[in-house]
C-alpha cells in the first residue's frame, strides 16, 4: 500500500484505534520524501489534517493511490499548520492519496517534507431553545 | 449514553444552535468545522415514523430562508429554526419520544457530504395527543 509522486512509489503506514461506535477509525501517517510534483505549503514537521467525509462510522478507511484531494481550508495557528483537505473519501470505502494534486494557496513547494495526516471524524454539540 | 435534557413540544417552534467540529481519530483536538457559503446545510429532525403513513424525513435546509442559517463569522456555528404546525419540515412531523437524535449534513458543491450526528439531544412530547 502506498502512493506515487512523480512515478515514485512511497509507503503509507496506518494506525488504527477502536472507535466508540464500533469499528475503527484509521489514519495514515504518510511520509512524503519528494513533493516536487506539487505539495506546497506543508513544511517539515507540520501536520495536515484531513477530515473524513464519513458516510458511516464503523468501517475501516483504507486510502489507496489514484484519488486526489483539494484544500478546503487552511489555518496557521501558533506555528502549527493545519490544512483541511477534501474530499478524502468516506469511511468504509476505498480511497486514496495522490500528493501531486494537493495544493495549498500562497505556499511554497517543500522538497523533503514529512507530513502526518490524520483522518478526522466529526462531532457536534447542539443547544436547543424552546 | 447521556439522556437528553431538551424538552420539545411537537407542533411548537423550537430553535437550535449547532457547533460543528472536526476531531482526530482519538476524538481529540476538536477544531471548528468551516462552513462556506456554497455549502447546503441540512438539519435532520427525527421524523414521525409511527404515523400512518409514516413520515420518511423531516429536514430543515439552508436552501430555504429562515430554516438553517450558518454563521460564517463563527466557524462551526449553525443555527436552525424548526417551524410550528403540521407541515413538513416542521415540529408537527417529529417523532414523539425521549433521547432522540439530530443530524446535520453539509453538502458541498462537489457532491460530497459531511455528516454530524448527535444522539440523545431532545425529548419530544405531544400533550394534545399523548
Amino acid at each position: 500500500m502506498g502512493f506515487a509522486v512523480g512515478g515514485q512509489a512511497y509507503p503509507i503506514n496506518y494506525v488504527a484505534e477502536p472507535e466508540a461506535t464500533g469499528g475503527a477509525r484509521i489514519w495514515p501517517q504518510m511520509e512524503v520524501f519528494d513533493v516536487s510534483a506539487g505539495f506546497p505549503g506543508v513544511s517539515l514537521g507540520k501536520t495536515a489534517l484531513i477530515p473524513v467525509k464519513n458516510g458511516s462510522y464503523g468501517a475501516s478507511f483504507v486510502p489507496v493511490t489514484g484519488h486526489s484531494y483539494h484544500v478546503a481550508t487552511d489555518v496557521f495557528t501558533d506555528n502549527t499548520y493545519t490544512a483541511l483537505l477534501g474530499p478524502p473519501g468516506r469511511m468504509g470505502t476505498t480511497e486514496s492519496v495522490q500528493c501531486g494534486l494537493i495544493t495549498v494557496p500562497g505556499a511554497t513547494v517543500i522538497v523533503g517534507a514529512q507530513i502526518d495526516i490524520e483522518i478526522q471524524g466529526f462531532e457536534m454539540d447542539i443547544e436547543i431553545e424552546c | 449514553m447521556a439522556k437528553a435534557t431538551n424538552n420539545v413540544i411537537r407542533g411548537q417552534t423550537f430553535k437550535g444552535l449547532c457547533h460543528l467540529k472536526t476531531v482526530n481519530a482519538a476524538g481529540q483536538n476538536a477544531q471548528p468545522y468551516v462552513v462556506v457559503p456554497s455549502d447546503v446545510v441540512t438539519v435532520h429532525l427525527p421524523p414521525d415514523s409511527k404515523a400512518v403513513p409514516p413520515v420518511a424525513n423531516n429536514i430543515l435546509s439552508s436552501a430555504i430562508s429562515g430554516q438553517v442559517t450558518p454563521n460564517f463569522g463563527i466557524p462551526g456555528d449553525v443555527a436552525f429554526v424548526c417551524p410550528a404546525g403540521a407541515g413538513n419540515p416542521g415540529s408537527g412531523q417529529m417523532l414523539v419520544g425521549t433521547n432522540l437524535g439530530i443530524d446535520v449534513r453539509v453538502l458541498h458543491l462537489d457532491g460530497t457530504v459531511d455528516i454530524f450526528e448527535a444522539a440523545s439531544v431532545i425529548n419530544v412530547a405531544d400533550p394534545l395527543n399523548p
Side-chain angles (χ1 to χ4, degrees), chain A residues 124-127, chain B residues 16-20 43 76-80 102 104:
Chain A
M124 172 176 63
D125 299 328
I126 299 183
E127 303 170 29
Chain B
L17 177 60
C18 308
H19 306 284
L20 311 182
V43 175
D77 277 15
V78 174
F80 68 86
I102 293 176
V104 171

Side-chain angles (χ1 to χ4, degrees), chain A residues 17 25 27 49 51 53-55 57 70 73 87 90 118-130, chain B residues 6-7 14-25 33 102 104 108 110 112-118:
Chain A
E17 283 189 352
R25 291 173 177 170
W27 68 100
L49 301 177
K53 309 292 180 180
N54 54 315
Y57 285 98
H70 70 268
T73 64
R90 301 170 186 278
E118 291 182 325
I119 304 300
Q120 293 199 318
F122 297 123
E123 284 188 356
M124 172 176 63
D125 299 328
I126 299 183
E127 303 170 29
I128 300 293
E129 176 187 343
C130 301
Chain B
N6 302 295
N7 298 311
F14 72 97
K15 301 177 181 179
L17 177 60
C18 308
H19 306 284
L20 311 182
K21 297 174 287 186
T22 61
V23 295
N24 65 16
Y33 176 93
I102 293 176
V104 171
H108 303 297
D110 62 7
T112 59
V113 180
D114 295 336
I115 301 174
F116 300 80
E117 299 172 317

Side-chain angles (χ1 to χ4, degrees), chain B residues 43-114:
Chain B
V43 175
H44 297 243
L45 303 171
D48 188 1
S49 57
K50 297 180 180 178
V52 180
V55 178
N57 55 56
N58 194 359
I59 303 172
L60 307 171
S61 174
S62 62
I64 300 175
S65 178
Q67 290 189 359
V68 179
T69 308
N71 184 344
F72 300 114
I74 304 177
D77 277 15
V78 174
F80 68 86
V81 178
C82 180
N88 191 324
S91 173
Q93 298 288 312
M94 293 178 63
L95 180 67
V96 172
T98 58
N99 302 318
L100 302 176
I102 293 176
D103 293 347
V104 171
R105 300 188 180 193
V106 181
L107 171 63
H108 303 297
L109 270 181
D110 62 7
T112 59
V113 180
D114 295 336

Side-chain angles (χ1 to χ4, degrees), chain A residues 9-72:
Chain A
Y10 298 101
I12 300 176
N13 299 317
Y14 299 94
V15 179
E17 283 189 352
E19 199 253 325
T21 56
R25 291 173 177 170
I26 296 178
W27 68 100
Q29 296 184 343
M30 182 176 65
E31 294 182 351
V32 179
F33 300 98
D34 179 4
V35 292
S36 58
F39 202 141
V42 182
S43 56
L44 185 64
K46 302 305 182 185
T47 299
L49 301 177
I50 296 182
V52 165
K53 309 292 180 180
N54 54 315
S56 63
Y57 285 98
S60 297
F61 178 83
V62 184
V64 297
T65 55
H67 189 93
S68 63
Y69 296 83
H70 70 268
V71 173

